Amino acid sequence: VIAVGKAALSMAGMARSLLGPVPALVVVTNPENAQRTKTLPPMPEAQIFAAAHPIPDEIGLTAGRAVKAALVAASQAGRPVLCLISGGGSALLPAPVVGVSLRDKMEVNAQLLASGADIEVMNLIRQQLSELKGGGMLRYAAPSPVISLILSDVIGDDLRAVASGPTVAPIGTKAEARDILHQFDIWEGLPQTVRHVMQSSDFKQDLPDARNLLIGSNGLSLAAMAVAFPSAKRHALPLIGDVTQA
């Protein structure tokens, strides 16, 4: 079981209560949520990492190595993989491609945050620089079957953008990422190593299959509330519309 994101600890705790002990359990979340371990059932086999957000850090880098090792172990043993993905995973789990350092990724993240780019643009760029984002987890796990349960924090619920889509196809190509970086006038300020990677060819190998299931989002929550409280629907919908539009 691999759990990544701000809801990773709660999701891992629920999975553990349903599945019982598992061969490997890696949890990567932010420090605030990592403090909640005492409120969950004991998970003695768990590796829990409290990594930084929104700028990645060394703990996140170590967590990335642990995730890759767990995926490879599952692959070699022929064990299925359950991924529990939630918002924040992009920064929490840095796994730089060869030639790019953690410091490089920190600089890219800082510039993207300052640029005003939306989350899909940011995660398109991040995917090009990561071994785990944009379906990267699937390559490490192959040929093991992968099921991914996803909580969306992204407007429109594009699963490629949630935590930079570690178990789904990338948002776009390096060429598209370069164009966007030029549009935001960021390109020239990026580390040379990052520009070098961005100018290389896209990874051409077919992405292994996975079963990606959206299990929670703003839209799903609103729909569930409308079913649970039908008598309030007449009053709630105008407000919901206003909030959604905002």
Side-chain angles (χ1 to χ4, degrees):
V1 177
I2 308 293
V4 179
K6 292 184 179 180
L9 197 59
S10 296
M11 296 177 80
M14 179 57 72
R16 181 64 166 69
S17 69
L18 295 172
L19 298 174
V22 294
L25 173 57
V26 182
V27 181
V28 188
T29 192
N30 56 316
E32 295 83 357
N33 285 319
Q35 294 174 3
R36 297 181 54 249
T37 51
K38 294 180 181 179
T39 67
L40 297 172
M43 298 185 288
E45 74 273 36
Q47 298 180 71
I48 300 175
F49 297 91
H53 182 279
I55 304 296
D57 66 356
E58 290 286 347
I59 296 175
L61 191 65
T62 301
R65 297 190 187 106
V67 166
K68 287 188 284 187
L71 292 171
V72 169
S75 171
Q76 292 173 345
R79 293 195 301 262
V81 177
L82 174 63
C83 294
L84 308 171
I85 308 298
S86 56
S90 296
L92 295 171
L93 195 67
V97 296
V98 175
V100 174
S101 68
L102 176 62
R103 185 172 293 277
D104 292 335
K105 293 204 73 173
M106 292 170 68
E107 176 61 25
V108 172
N109 265 28
Q111 291 201 37
L112 286 171
L113 288 168
S115 73
D118 65 30
I119 191 63
E120 290 204 9
V121 167
M122 292 183 66
N123 288 353
L124 165 61
I125 308 303
R126 288 163 161 168
Q127 288 172 348
Q128 315 307 319
L129 304 174
S130 173
E131 292 186 337
L132 291 175
K133 296 174 174 62
M137 278 192 188
L138 300 181
R139 295 191 175 95
Y140 278 94
S144 291
V146 175
I147 295 177
S148 188
L149 306 182
I150 302 170
L151 289 177
S152 171
D153 63 338
V154 175
I155 294 173
D157 300 332
D158 185 345
L159 300 187
R160 301 173 303 169
V162 181
S164 291
T167 60
V168 298
I171 296 170
T173 65
K174 285 188 173 70
E176 291 169 328
R178 288 196 303 271
D179 288 343
I180 289 172
L181 288 168
H182 282 293
Q183 290 171 20
F184 279 87
D185 199 24
I186 298 175
W187 177 260
E188 295 300 331
L190 294 177
Q192 178 59 40
T193 53
V194 171
R195 284 184 285 166
H196 177 74
V197 168
M198 287 291 190
Q199 290 171 321
S200 63
S201 300
D202 285 300
F203 196 77
K204 296 299 184 183
Q205 181 179 338
D206 289 340
L207 200 63
D209 291 331
R211 188 179 181 194
N212 291 294
L213 302 174
L214 177 66
I215 63 169
S217 68
N218 283 344
L220 290 176
S221 297
L222 292 172
M225 283 189 282
V227 171
F229 302 101
S231 62
K233 191 173 182 180
R234 178 166 53 89
H235 303 289
L237 284 179
L239 176 59
I240 290 171
D242 292 344
V243 171
T244 304
Q245 183 64 36

